[in-house]
Amino acid sequence: ASVLITDGDHQVMKNLRYNVELNGLQLADAATLKSSNATISCPQLIWGKNHAIKFAEQYGKQDVLIATDCLYISQSVYPLFETANELLEKTGLFLFVNSYPWVCPTEKVLDIATEFGFVSSDDELWYHDDDKEKRKNPVHVFRRRKEV
């Protein structure tokens, strides 16, 4: 198994790579990820369909995508789901946390997710122990809608 840790910002990417190495883990690039002992790579990922297609050509489709606290403006929701749509395997899971619902309302996220064929069940919402009582900031588990 391998892990890709991504961001769109160059400075954040430098910090990610530094933290991986600081923890004694070996970094791989796209060429060596599958053929070396290194299981972690930190490539830049710019959201949007065309960027995601190129990314998938280099790193393949993914079984699980995790996006946390990454929406700072509501205009980013559509490119995020364009990216998830291109990068996620058909049976994959997209785990999403929106800690800033006042910036990007959850209803908008769910509407755009639906537009791309993703569904999230209230039965599968995960809450941090501190948030469970308040029912805020859940982890949404998105799956592709099953075709009938």
Side-chain angles (χ1 to χ4, degrees):
S2 61
V3 174
L4 300 176
I5 306 170
T6 67
D7 200 278
D9 182 270
H10 284 289
Q11 187 59 45
V12 171
M13 297 307 307
K14 286 170 57 175
N15 290 340
L16 287 173
R17 291 179 184 116
Y18 173 78
N19 284 323
V20 168
E21 291 172 351
L22 186 65
N23 283 283
L25 302 169
Q26 185 180 359
L27 276 171
D29 59 22
T32 61
L33 187 61
K34 292 180 181 165
S35 64
S36 75
N37 290 336
T39 58
I40 298 175
S41 184
C42 297
Q44 184 182 35
L45 176 60
I46 306 294
W47 293 348
K49 182 176 181 174
N50 293 334
H51 293 293
I53 289 170
K54 289 178 187 172
F55 190 91
E57 288 170 359
Q58 217 174 357
Y59 293 96
K61 299 274 187 170
Q62 305 301 308
D63 296 319
V64 178
L65 299 176
I66 302 172
T68 62
D69 304 334
C70 58
L71 294 174
Y72 307 106
I73 57 172
S74 60
Q75 293 87 341
S76 296
V77 180
Y78 194 88
L80 172 64
F81 277 92
E82 276 186 320
T83 302
N85 191 50
E86 293 300 325
L87 293 183
L88 195 63
E89 289 283 1
K90 293 212 179 299
T91 58
L93 298 177
F94 178 29
L95 308 177
F96 173 79
V97 177
N98 183 15
S99 294
Y100 311 108
W102 57 91
V103 173
C104 185
T106 301
E107 295 76 27
K108 179 171 183 153
V109 173
L110 296 174
D111 287 347
I112 291 176
T114 301
E115 191 176 323
F116 281 95
F118 288 99
V119 293
S120 174
S121 167
D122 286 347
D123 296 335
E124 285 190 310
L125 294 178
W126 301 345
Y127 293 92
H128 183 275
D129 289 341
D130 295 340
D131 293 335
K132 200 168 206 164
E133 293 293 318
K134 300 175 199 159
R135 312 271 305 163
K136 67 176 197 173
N137 303 333
V139 176
H140 291 269
V141 180
F142 287 105
R143 303 171 189 275
R144 294 189 191 275
R145 185 181 311 114
K146 292 184 179 169
E147 307 218 359
V148 183

